[in-house]
Amino acid sequence: MFLNFNTAKYASMWNGKKDLLGMNDLSKEEIEGVIRYSSALEPLSGKGSKLGICRGEILISAFFEPSTRTVTSFAAAMHTLGGDVQTFLESGSSIEKGETKEDTIRTLEQYGDALVIRDSDPGSVARYASLVKVPVINAGDGINEHPTQALYDMYTIWKQFGRLTNLRIAVVGGLKYYRPSNSLVMGLGKFEGNKIFGICPPGLSLSKQYSNGCYEEMQINMTHLNEVLEKIKPDVVYVTRLKKEYMPPNEDTKNYFYVVDNKTMAVLPQNCIVMHALPRVWEINTEIDSDPRAIMFKQARHSLQVRMAVLALFLGHEDELKKL
Ligand code: CP
């Protein structure tokens, strides 16, 4: 008698999609769905909560780049859904013996039900996804995209304003190398009436492929940042980190300095929020942390319920989410 291996679970797509690789994978309605389910999960995602939605399933976490929030919140999200997590560490793995990342990913697929992958090479996560049958979530691929970051950024904005339309968003800093702003501009561009101002030093423009009709770029001397923000009157200031790790080693960064501090807060509207994907280095002064408009850590907290929603959807559990 032949064993009949059941591969049906690998057909656990969400709306015909196996993977979440970038914001173009999601329609406006699907983003709204993620936000709706995240909101339903929020009261159930407190520390100590445990749901049974992903019981018996294993998430494999493979990060070829450093991470604090993404790796930890995906693990916490999977545990809260009742599933398990296996973390792959490159250091000490057979990559040190010369095994390729492709063979590594194809091997990891054998042990889990979904993969969450970060890699420094743009497009690499899509390439890995094409090699495996299980869902793959892009946790950041070089200077390309970070879609789950954009989803929880959008959830944070929705929680604050009750809408994702007709907003004025200033995205500030080194946009050329910053993947969360690529994904955020793409995501917010799907919603009506938004105006996104990219405020960056010359040479650090948003790459054209992430731009859309909502986006207007203002290349400025960053010493004038506060004056520009005062004129724009944004609802959201989204601050980015200068990703030196992706910049040519000899690039002169002295003209790239910018900081959001108490002087910046003084020119912003009273209901304007300041966001940052974190980690921050020097671009947000800690002196603003006590201002209730600085919501970076509340934003980080939202990664939990949004990643729970994403994992449940891409593991084929939308019916369970509908019952929440
Ligand atoms: N925002 C973010 O992706 O943080 P980590 O790099 O710490 O995961």
Side-chain angles (χ1 to χ4, degrees):
M1 182 178 158
F2 293 103
L3 290 173
N4 181 17
F5 287 106
N6 179 9
T7 55
K9 69 177 177 172
Y10 296 132
S12 62
M13 300 192 188
W14 183 42
N15 295 341
K17 285 179 266 281
K18 179 176 83 69
D19 310 303
L20 177 56
L21 302 172
M23 292 307 279
N24 275 345
D25 288 335
L26 300 175
S27 66
K28 174 182 166 227
E29 291 71 28
E30 287 167 336
I31 294 172
E32 288 170 338
V34 171
I35 285 173
R36 200 170 50 249
Y37 293 131
S38 302
S39 179
L41 285 162
E42 185 164 343
L44 308 170
S45 62
K47 299 179 184 89
S49 294
K50 192 96 172 171
L51 304 172
I53 293 175
C54 291
R55 188 178 293 123
E57 291 175 313
I58 297 175
L59 175 68
I60 308 267
S61 181
F63 281 61
F64 299 104
E65 267 196 334
S67 171
T68 295
R69 277 147 291 276
T70 313
V71 73
T72 311
S73 61
F74 263 112
M78 189 61 174
H79 285 305
T80 310
L81 289 166
D84 291 304
V85 180
Q86 185 61 51
T87 302
F88 165 80
L89 297 174
E90 184 175 7
S91 171
S93 77
S94 288
I95 288 180
E96 292 184 351
K97 302 176 207 160
E99 187 167 34
T100 63
K101 288 183 184 172
E102 284 74 8
D103 279 1
T104 303
I105 296 295
R106 291 176 69 186
T107 303
L108 295 176
E109 178 195 17
Q110 311 306 320
Y111 311 132
D113 299 280
L115 288 161
V116 57
I117 307 175
R118 172 174 286 187
D119 193 295
S120 59
D121 178 16
S124 56
V125 179
R127 196 171 69 247
Y128 302 141
S130 73
L131 299 174
V132 299
K133 294 195 183 76
V134 297
V136 172
I137 311 294
N138 180 4
D141 59 329
I143 59 170
N144 182 31
E145 281 219 55
H146 194 354
T148 60
Q149 175 72 55
L151 288 170
Y152 81 75
D153 294 342
M154 293 172 79
Y155 180 71
T156 301
I157 294 169
W158 175 80
K159 289 269 298 179
Q160 195 72 22
F161 296 99
R163 65 181 199 277
L164 285 172
T165 55
N166 300 309
L167 292 161
R168 295 170 72 76
I169 300 109
V171 185
V172 174
L175 308 183
K176 181 175 176 181
Y177 299 105
Y178 202 69
R179 58 194 173 210
S181 42
N182 294 339
S183 295
L184 184 65
V185 171
M186 292 170 83
L188 288 169
K190 294 175 194 279
F191 290 80
E192 309 84 56
N194 290 326
K195 188 83 198 156
I196 308 171
F197 301 92
I199 306 174
C200 59
L204 294 186
S205 286
L206 188 88
S207 298
K208 281 199 171 47
Q209 70 262 36
Y210 308 110
S211 184
N212 53 49
C214 299
Y215 183 76
E216 179 185 325
E217 192 156 282
M218 307 170 85
Q219 293 180 24
I220 65 162
N221 176 333
M222 295 303 269
T223 59
H224 297 302
L225 175 63
N226 292 353
E227 294 153 49
V228 172
L229 288 173
E230 189 169 17
K231 280 199 193 111
I232 288 175
K233 297 192 189 344
D235 299 301
V236 178
V237 176
Y238 191 94
V239 189
T240 69
R241 176 170 68 88
L242 197 60
K243 286 228 175 197
K244 286 195 178 155
E245 64 268 36
Y246 292 139
M247 297 172 79
N250 52 357
E251 185 143 351
D252 184 0
T253 58
K254 74 174 181 306
N255 293 327
Y256 293 160
F257 184 79
Y258 48 92
V259 66
V260 169
D261 56 15
N262 279 341
K263 289 194 194 104
T264 317
M265 299 311 275
V267 303
L268 294 178
Q270 215 38 53
N271 65 345
C272 173
I273 54 171
V274 175
M275 298 174 65
H276 193 306
L278 303 176
R280 68 175 153 186
V281 186
W282 39 254
E283 63 281 1
I284 291 189
N285 191 312
T286 53
E287 71 187 17
I288 78 160
D289 288 7
S290 54
D291 189 313
R293 295 174 294 170
I295 61 164
M296 300 82 70
F297 290 95
K298 195 194 262 188
Q299 176 187 352
R301 166 76 187 175
H302 292 151
S303 62
L304 184 57
Q305 53 267 32
V306 172
R307 287 181 170 138
M308 285 171 72
V310 165
L311 287 171
L313 288 167
F314 281 85
L315 280 161
H317 299 298
E318 186 167 18
D319 287 346
E320 289 100 309
L321 293 180
K322 282 179 182 161
K323 290 183 202 143
L324 293 173

